[in-house]
DNA sequence: TCTGGGGTCCTAGGACCC
DNA sequence: TCTGGGGTCCTAGGACCC
């Protein structure tokens, strides 16, 4: 059996930890740049704020219902997430952290009574020790556990647990699950399935495997098996090494100044290099992209990306930065209002497996010591104190975050103060 | 005025090779 | 009358996830 533990409305729950008066009130957390609603309390869902709704489109509604708004505070959410994961890991031998607010738990070799009792204890402990409400779904496969989790939230919100163990329990929840509520079926596939007369998860069981394979690739075939209770998804207990690393942001305002855009891009490139070093990887190629705002139909549009191969795998900031700047010069065009740019490093290898090109004059090991010193210093100071000239200092392009809460758990100057 | 960011996996089709 | 066939590697793009 597999259990999926999922934190309820995670970002909202994190904010409520430090502002308990927001319990029972409508709360939303916005995406970067204060763009869209990406987390909503139950009260906010009830008044019709949908996932991903741009905040400016529902501004009247937010005001009318006195919805409390937060900008995303990932420093805070990451730190709370770590606490939750550490706590639940004590209950099982193995767990797979699937996202910031979800983990799959391996519950094989446990009987039904044992599973239920562990889930109840775990849920209680997370609530008491950390203050985050979680829901738990249990079933034979990851996909069924995901469905069970949703069913628990919908059908038993105060108990928060659903174990789909007997055939009847599985059928009951499948019958109550729409096609689009299934993990792995998005907009396109639900349209396709609806068109063919399939509307709920139980009906999926009637579809021939070959049809799934032909119309939804092997992923569809695997999904069907998972729904039938045959595991088709691998466990990933280890902390997987990422295969691509991306840093991109929208600018706070549309930009026309080339120097400013270059400065933003330099920071994103430096960030990619840092992330590479943190996971012990080096990249062999990089994509740099630049774009205008596609929602502004009144403005000329431009999107361009370029894929650059390196002479040898690299993860030092000067090399990554140099390639990014070279790419930027190729794709930049004057005369547009730019919204966003980004850097994706890919073709990653372990940094100890770097093969140097016989003919390249540069060798990035030379800068190794300096980079290491820079990382250590920045790490100690908790910010990017040591920087390259191209990165600038002003960050005039930085994103909007008008509703940011404090970093209560990671900055001594921002801890919660209580007057007594 | 205002629409996120960071990932994964799979497939079709082109380039190239013998 | 009538243009081989089979294999690999790579890339772009589409689907999905939180």
């Amino acid at each position: 059996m597999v259990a999926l533990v999922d934190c309820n409305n995670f970002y909202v729950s994190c904010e409520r930890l430090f502002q308990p008066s927001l319990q029972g009130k409508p709360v939303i957390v916005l995406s970067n740049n204060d763009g869209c609603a990406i987390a909503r309390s139950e009260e906010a869902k009830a008044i019709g704020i949908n996932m991903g709704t741009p905040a400016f489109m529902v501004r009247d509604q937010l005001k009318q219902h006195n919805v409390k708004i937060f900008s995303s505070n990932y420093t805070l959410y990451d730190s709370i997430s770590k606490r939750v994961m550490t706590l639940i890991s004590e209950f099982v031998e193995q767990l797979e952290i699937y996202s910031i607010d979800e983990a799959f738990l391996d519950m094989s070799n446990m009987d039904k009574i044992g599973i239920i009792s562990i889930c109840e204890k775990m849920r209680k402990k997370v609530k008491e020790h950390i203050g985050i409400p979680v829901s738990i779904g249990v079933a034979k496969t990851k996909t069924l556990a995901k469905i069970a989790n949703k069913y628990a939230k919908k059908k038993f919100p105060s108990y928060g647990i659903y174990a789909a163990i007997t055939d009847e329990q599985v059928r009951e929840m499948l019958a109550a699950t729409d096609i689009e509520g299934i993990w792995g079926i998005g907009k396109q596939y639900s349209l396709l399935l609806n068109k063919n007369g399939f509307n709920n998860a139980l009906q999926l069981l009637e579809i021939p495997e070959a049809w799934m394979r032909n119309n939804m690739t092997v992923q569809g075939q695997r999904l069907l098996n998972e729904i039938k209770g045959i595991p088709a998804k691998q466990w990933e207990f280890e902390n997987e090494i990422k295969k691509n690393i991306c840093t991109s942001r929208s600018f706070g305002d549309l930009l026309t100044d080339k120097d400013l855009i270059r400065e933003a891009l330099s920071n994103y490139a430096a960030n990619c290099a840092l992330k590479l070093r943190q996971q012990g990887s080096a990249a062999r190629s990089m994509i740099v992209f630049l774009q205008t705002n596609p929602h502004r139909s009144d403005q000329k549009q431009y999107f361009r990306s370029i894929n650059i191969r390196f002479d040898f795998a690299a993860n030092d900031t000067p090399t990554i930065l140099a390639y990014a700047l070279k790419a930027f010069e190729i794709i930049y065009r004057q005369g547009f209002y730019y919204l966003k740019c980004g850097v994706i490093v890919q073709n990653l290898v372990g940094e100890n497996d770097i093969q140097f090109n016989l003919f390249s004059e540069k060798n990035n090991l030379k800068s190794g010591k300096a980079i290491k010193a820079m990382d250590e210093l920045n790490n100690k100071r908790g910010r990017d104190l040591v920087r390259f000239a191209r990165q600038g200092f002003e960050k005039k392009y930085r994103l909007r975050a008008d509703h940011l809460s404090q970093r209560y758990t990671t900055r001594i100057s921002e801890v919660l103060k209580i007057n007594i």
Side-chain angles (χ1 to χ4, degrees), chain A residues 276 280-284 313-314 346-355:
Chain A
L276 280 171
S281 297
R284 282 181 295 180
Q346 46 183 22
N347 283 303
L348 309 191
V349 294
E351 62 185 347
N352 297 321
D353 308 326
I354 298 177
Q355 303 213 347

Side-chain angles (χ1 to χ4, degrees), chain A residues 99-113:
Chain A
S99 74
I100 192 164
D101 69 337
E102 282 170 79
F104 289 106
L105 278 57
D106 180 3
M107 296 206 160
S108 47
N109 314 321
M110 279 187 218
D111 60 18
K112 184 177 176 174
I113 310 287

Side-chain angles (χ1 to χ4, degrees), chain A residues 80-123:
Chain A
I80 303 294
S81 170
K82 286 204 180 74
R83 294 182 189 195
V84 173
M85 297 305 172
T86 305
L87 216 166
I88 61 180
S89 70
E90 290 167 11
F91 287 86
V92 285
E93 278 178 30
Q94 285 188 296
L95 92 167
E96 170 184 338
I97 297 173
Y98 176 69
S99 74
I100 192 164
D101 69 337
E102 282 170 79
F104 289 106
L105 278 57
D106 180 3
M107 296 206 160
S108 47
N109 314 321
M110 279 187 218
D111 60 18
K112 184 177 176 174
I113 310 287
I115 289 173
I116 303 277
S117 129
I118 283 202
C119 289
E120 288 175 350
K121 277 186 205 150
M122 187 157 53
R123 192 167 174 274

Side-chain angles (χ1 to χ4, degrees), chain A residues 165-185:
Chain A
I165 292 175
T166 65
D167 281 356
E168 260 156 55
Q169 288 166 330
V170 174
R171 293 181 73 83
E172 178 193 321
M173 76 173 186
L174 289 183
T177 302
D178 289 335
I179 287 283
E180 54 267 32
I182 300 172
W183 190 41
I185 297 184

Side-chain angles (χ1 to χ4, degrees), chain A residues 103-224:
Chain A
F104 289 106
L105 278 57
D106 180 3
M107 296 206 160
S108 47
N109 314 321
M110 279 187 218
D111 60 18
K112 184 177 176 174
I113 310 287
I115 289 173
I116 303 277
S117 129
I118 283 202
C119 289
E120 288 175 350
K121 277 186 205 150
M122 187 157 53
R123 192 167 174 274
K124 189 159 169 260
K125 195 163 178 186
V126 174
K127 181 75 189 154
E128 281 173 2
H129 288 222
I130 303 173
I132 297 286
V134 302
S135 300
I136 306 177
V138 182
K140 272 190 201 162
T141 64
K142 286 183 168 182
T143 306
L144 287 175
K146 275 281 225 181
I147 295 174
N149 188 292
K150 274 201 181 181
Y151 191 59
K153 282 201 181 93
K154 195 169 84 178
K155 199 80 190 278
F156 310 101
S158 54
Y159 180 55
I161 299 169
Y162 187 78
I165 292 175
T166 65
D167 281 356
E168 260 156 55
Q169 288 166 330
V170 174
R171 293 181 73 83
E172 178 193 321
M173 76 173 186
L174 289 183
T177 302
D178 289 335
I179 287 283
E180 54 267 32
I182 300 172
W183 190 41
I185 297 184
K187 212 173 177 184
Q188 301 306 316
Y189 287 151
S190 40
L191 272 174
L192 176 75
L193 288 163
N194 288 158
K195 226 167 41 190
N196 284 276
F198 302 106
N199 299 300
N200 80 49
L202 195 57
Q203 294 177 306
L204 218 59
L205 295 174
E206 300 157 18
I207 303 180
E209 216 173 309
W211 190 94
M212 291 295 277
R213 162 95 219 200
N214 290 336
N215 292 277
M216 294 171 59
T217 81
V218 304
Q219 312 244 51
Q221 192 180 6
R222 284 180 197 147
L223 190 147
L224 185 60

